[in-house]
Amino acid sequence: QVTLASELSRATQHTLLVYAIGGNPNTANLWTGTIAQTHILSLQLEAGATLSPYPIIRKKNCFILGDSILQGYNGDREQGNYYTFVDPSATWAIQLGYVMNCEVGVVGIPGQGFLEPGNANKFPGGYPPVSGTWNYYDSTHPRSFSPPPDYIIDAHGVNDHRPKFAAADVQVAVENFLKAVRGQLPHSTIFLYLPFGGKVGDGSEEGANHAQIEAAVIAVGD
């Protein structure tokens, strides 16, 4: 049990917002099991207290995939409690929910790309590239898409570095990813995000595999 609040005035309505931050991928291979999953089994109130409906349930659902930028890793030294250097609530993905009037679900796997495995620096091969994880919670549990998300946004590409991965191979990986998502979710609107620019990915000022992502969308014709 975790106590969320106590000694609150019964004459006042209180709003409680809870973020459940996933497990630390630097302490275990989270792809192999349910160690990083959070299940809320019950909510217990004081005698006489009542639960009110949340006043705002946004009309649409948005599923966002990405790497450590989406995980909310803020670059601080990895010391102390995990939440001191990882904060998913501070990412642009959460803010997007307000703009697009969506309930937002975010999956950020550090180091992951279209070809680069996730968290490979700590547990090589622990997470596959996004094509092997997007529709799974972990290696044995398929992700539920009921109801299907209205919007799917993918924000990978910055970790598929050259010369480790050839530009043509990155493009093919993006094409295959897009086809797989479209095959399973035919009615969702899909956005492929162009990562922030800089000398990353393809090593140019253009940004991280921008040309490969754009070419893949054109090739697939979606």
Side-chain angles (χ1 to χ4, degrees):
Q1 284 187 330
V2 177
T3 300
L4 301 178
S6 63
E7 300 182 10
L8 300 177
S9 169
R10 294 191 179 188
T12 304
Q13 186 179 61
H14 303 279
T15 299
L16 184 67
L17 180 62
V18 178
Y19 286 100
I21 298 178
N24 187 343
N26 295 342
T27 61
N29 187 329
L30 305 184
W31 176 242
T32 60
T34 59
I35 187 173
Q37 296 184 26
T38 301
H39 298 265
I40 299 175
L41 301 179
S42 66
L43 182 63
Q44 300 178 17
L45 306 177
E46 285 186 352
T50 58
L51 188 64
S52 301
Y54 189 69
I56 301 173
I57 300 296
R58 298 186 178 92
K59 296 181 179 180
K60 296 188 177 183
N61 296 313
C62 184
F63 178 47
I64 308 180
L65 297 151
D67 47 39
S68 60
I69 298 173
L70 267 294
Q71 183 196 28
Y73 176 64
N74 56 29
D76 289 347
R77 297 179 65 185
E78 298 181 11
Q79 294 180 340
N81 293 321
Y82 191 49
Y83 58 79
T84 63
F85 54 89
V86 173
D87 185 0
S89 69
T91 69
W92 60 262
I94 299 299
Q95 308 307 315
L96 198 65
Y98 298 98
V99 177
M100 298 181 70
N101 195 27
C102 285
E103 296 296 322
V104 174
V106 181
V107 178
I109 298 175
Q112 190 181 56
F114 291 106
L115 288 172
E116 179 70 15
N119 209 37
N121 62 322
K122 299 286 185 178
F123 295 94
Y127 283 99
V130 64
S131 59
T133 64
W134 74 273
N135 55 349
Y136 277 80
Y137 291 107
D138 56 50
S139 60
T140 58
H141 295 86
R143 189 178 299 280
S144 171
F145 289 110
S146 179
D150 298 281
Y151 304 118
I152 300 169
I153 301 175
D154 184 86
H156 287 92
V158 71
N159 292 310
D160 297 307
H161 296 285
R162 226 80 71 227
K164 182 176 182 179
F165 301 110
D169 293 337
V170 174
Q171 178 180 330
V172 171
V174 178
E175 292 177 20
N176 291 337
F177 169 77
L178 182 55
K179 291 175 184 177
V181 175
R182 176 58 70 216
Q184 188 166 343
L185 298 167
H187 304 298
S188 299
T189 299
I190 303 173
F191 296 92
L192 292 188
Y193 161 97
L194 297 178
F196 298 122
K199 292 188 176 181
V200 289
D202 62 3
S204 75
E205 293 293 346
E206 179 188 2
N209 290 297
H210 286 195
Q212 288 67 47
I213 295 172
E214 291 174 333
V217 173
I218 293 172
V220 173
D222 191 319

